[in-house]
């Protein structure tokens, strides 16, 4: 039997109500930091004044204040361990606090990470490679241009045959060719303006500040040596690795294009180009030869083109 008009209206009304913004809106919990629907959040005013006292760590080392210089002492953040920029409590944490128990997923229960320092925010793809102390991946980046401003990029990463831990960063400029290769496709060779839209340029000051922040605040970087002379060798006007150019009259792959895709080319025609990072495992990794060369040669680049 077909549903009546009254029943159809009821179904539509319930769907609209269930998908309304106030039902879907999420907020972060000040106790655990998880995103939870706003309608199941509680105000801290509903708790006793001393309810958050149980979130004060009984031992040091749960939190750590951000250091700005070597003269700053290593110290904890005083008071309860709470998520900054959050103001409400989720229903699960609220129930535990009412009972006087530390919530299992609370930041005070050894899950605190803290805010990301400004020095570590906004690092692009290549800059992250330069500040990583452990080298465990190898990457091939393909930037595709339409020749009419539209541009899109993606990277494929696979496990490096042997990990390397750097005692000094950034790594020598010559070693970057071992872990990164760049292929540019399009109707014409890339220009300096094209490279500015990709996450493949190195901002030396940004890398320097990130390394200095990590050395001061990350225990695994405490004995790191920052090689300022090597950093100056990295170019800022272009990618720090060689670029292989291949002609293509379009930046779309026919075999990966939906029948409903009517666009002539993919990507943005202004601003930073879209950038996607992929990893390969399992069957994809089995397609590679057993012994990979230690350098990203042109033959190696050509060998992996079908993986994009």
């Amino acid at each position: 039997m077909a549903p009546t008009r009254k029943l159809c209206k009821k179904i539509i009304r319930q769907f609209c109500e269930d998908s309304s913004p106030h039902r879907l809106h999420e907020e972060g919990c000040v106790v655990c930091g998880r995103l939870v629907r706003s309608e199941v959040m509680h105000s801290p005013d509903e708790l006793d004044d001393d309810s958050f006292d149980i979130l004060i760590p009984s031992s040091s080392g749960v939190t750590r204040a951000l250091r700005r210089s070597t003269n700053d002492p290593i110290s904890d953040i005083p008071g309860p361990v709470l998520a900054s920029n959050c103001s409400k409590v989720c229903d699960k944490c609220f129930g535990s606090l009412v009972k006087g128990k530390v919530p299992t997923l609370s930041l005070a229960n050894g899950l605190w990470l803290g805010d990301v320092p400004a020095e570590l925010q906004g690092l692009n793809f290549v800059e992250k490679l330069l500040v990583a102390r452990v080298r465990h991946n190898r990457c091939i980046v393909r930037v595709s241009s339409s020749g009419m401003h539209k541009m899109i990029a993606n990277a494929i990463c696979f496990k490096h045959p042997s990990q390397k831990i750097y005692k000094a960063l950034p790594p020598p400029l010559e070693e970057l060719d071992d872990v990164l290769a760049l292929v540019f496709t399009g109707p014409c060779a890339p220009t300096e303006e094209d490279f500015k839209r990709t996450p493949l340029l190195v901002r030396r000051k940004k890398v320097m500040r990130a390394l200095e922040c990590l050395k001061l605040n990350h225990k695994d970087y405490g004995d790191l040596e920052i090689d300022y002379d090597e950093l100056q060798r990295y170019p800022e006007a272009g990618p720090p690795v060689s670029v292989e150019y291949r002609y293509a009259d379009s930046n779309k792959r026919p075999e990966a294009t939906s029948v409903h895709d009517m666009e002539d080319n993919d990507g943005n025609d202004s601003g930073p180009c879209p950038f996607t990072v992929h990893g390969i495992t399992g069957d994809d990794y089995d397609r590679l030869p057993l012994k990979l060369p230690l350098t990203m040669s042109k033959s190696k680049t050509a060998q992996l083109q079908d993986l994009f």
Side-chain angles (χ1 to χ4, degrees), residues 29 174 187:
C29 173
E174 294 78 11

Side-chain angles (χ1 to χ4, degrees), residues 66-69 115-124 127 131 203 205-214 216-217:
L66 186 66
R67 300 172 67 206
R68 294 296 182 183
S69 72
D115 297 329
V116 178
E119 292 85 350
L120 301 181
Q121 297 180 21
L123 292 170
N124 64 34
E127 291 166 347
V131 302
R203 297 166 293 180
K205 288 185 178 180
K206 184 71 175 177
V207 174
M208 178 185 67
R209 290 167 182 164
L211 289 173
E212 290 175 344
C213 178
L214 287 168
L216 285 171
N217 297 283

Side-chain angles (χ1 to χ4, degrees), residues 13 28 42 58 63-64 82 86 107 112 115 131 134 139 159 167 182 186 197 216-217 224 229 234 243 249 260 270 293:
R13 184 169 58 252
H42 297 267
S58 57
T63 62
R64 180 166 171 172
L82 302 173
C86 297
L107 302 181
W112 181 89
D115 297 329
V131 302
V134 181
C139 312
K159 187 177 180 180
K167 295 182 179 179
L182 174 59
R197 297 178 55 197
L216 285 171
N217 297 283
L224 175 73
D229 293 334
Y234 279 82
V243 181
D249 56 4
H260 304 290
S270 62

Side-chain angles (χ1 to χ4, degrees), residues 9 38 58 95 98 107 121 160 196 208 224 227 231 245 290 305:
K9 287 184 177 180
S38 299
S58 57
V98 168
L107 302 181
Q121 297 180 21
H160 198 275
K196 287 181 179 179
M208 178 185 67
L224 175 73
D227 194 336
L231 181 58
Y245 168 69
L290 293 178
Q305 281 301 294

Side-chain angles (χ1 to χ4, degrees), residues 27-270:
E27 292 183 65
C29 173
V30 70
V31 177
C32 65
R34 295 182 303 132
L35 282 176
V36 182
R37 288 185 294 115
S38 299
E39 64 177 3
V40 296
M41 300 286 279
H42 297 267
S43 171
D45 296 337
E46 301 177 43
L47 296 167
D48 296 335
D49 294 338
D50 58 351
S51 295
F52 289 106
D53 290 347
I54 61 174
L55 300 179
I56 299 176
S58 57
S59 60
S60 62
V62 177
T63 62
R64 180 166 171 172
L66 186 66
R67 300 172 67 206
R68 294 296 182 183
S69 72
T70 55
N71 296 325
D72 294 338
I74 297 177
S75 59
D76 296 337
I77 298 176
V81 183
L82 302 173
S84 61
N85 301 321
C86 297
S87 59
K88 294 184 178 180
V89 184
C90 70
D91 53 347
K92 290 186 177 181
C93 292
F94 183 85
S96 297
L97 292 176
V98 168
K99 298 176 183 178
K101 298 180 179 180
V102 177
T104 304
L105 297 179
S106 66
L107 302 181
N109 205 15
L111 299 177
W112 181 89
L113 290 177
D115 297 329
V116 178
E119 292 85 350
L120 301 181
Q121 297 180 21
L123 292 170
N124 64 34
F125 183 72
V126 173
E127 291 166 347
K128 290 177 181 178
L129 293 179
L130 300 188
V131 302
R133 189 153 194 195
V134 181
R135 184 180 73 186
H136 50 77
N137 285 334
R138 300 169 68 182
C139 312
I140 295 182
V141 178
R142 186 179 72 171
V143 180
S144 303
S145 173
S146 67
M148 297 296 292
H149 305 297
K150 277 201 170 185
M151 187 182 297
I152 191 170
N154 62 355
I156 182 168
C157 301
F158 51 98
K159 187 177 180 180
H160 198 275
S162 60
Q163 293 187 359
K164 180 174 181 178
I165 300 178
Y166 287 101
K167 295 182 179 179
L169 288 175
L173 180 59
E174 294 78 11
E175 288 191 16
L176 204 60
D177 280 323
D178 296 351
V179 295
L180 179 65
L182 174 59
V183 181
F184 193 98
T185 65
C188 54
T191 64
E192 184 176 335
E193 292 301 318
D194 291 331
F195 286 131
K196 287 181 179 179
R197 297 178 55 197
T198 68
L200 302 170
L201 300 184
V202 176
R203 297 166 293 180
R204 291 195 289 257
K205 288 185 178 180
K206 184 71 175 177
V207 174
M208 178 185 67
R209 290 167 182 164
L211 289 173
E212 290 175 344
C213 178
L214 287 168
K215 184 176 176 64
L216 285 171
N217 297 283
H218 198 297
K219 65 178 182 179
D220 293 334
Y221 283 75
D223 60 345
L224 175 73
E225 177 186 347
I226 302 177
D227 194 336
Y228 294 96
D229 293 334
E230 187 64 37
L231 181 58
Q232 292 303 314
R233 296 183 59 210
Y234 279 82
E236 289 190 318
V241 296
S242 59
V243 181
E244 180 182 353
Y245 168 69
R246 294 192 172 192
Y247 173 82
D249 56 4
S250 173
N251 68 357
K252 297 180 75 73
R253 296 183 62 192
E255 67 273 15
T257 304
S258 167
V259 295
H260 304 290
D261 189 348
M262 299 291 111
E263 293 289 336
D264 294 330
N265 291 282
D266 289 331
N268 293 345
D269 53 11
S270 62

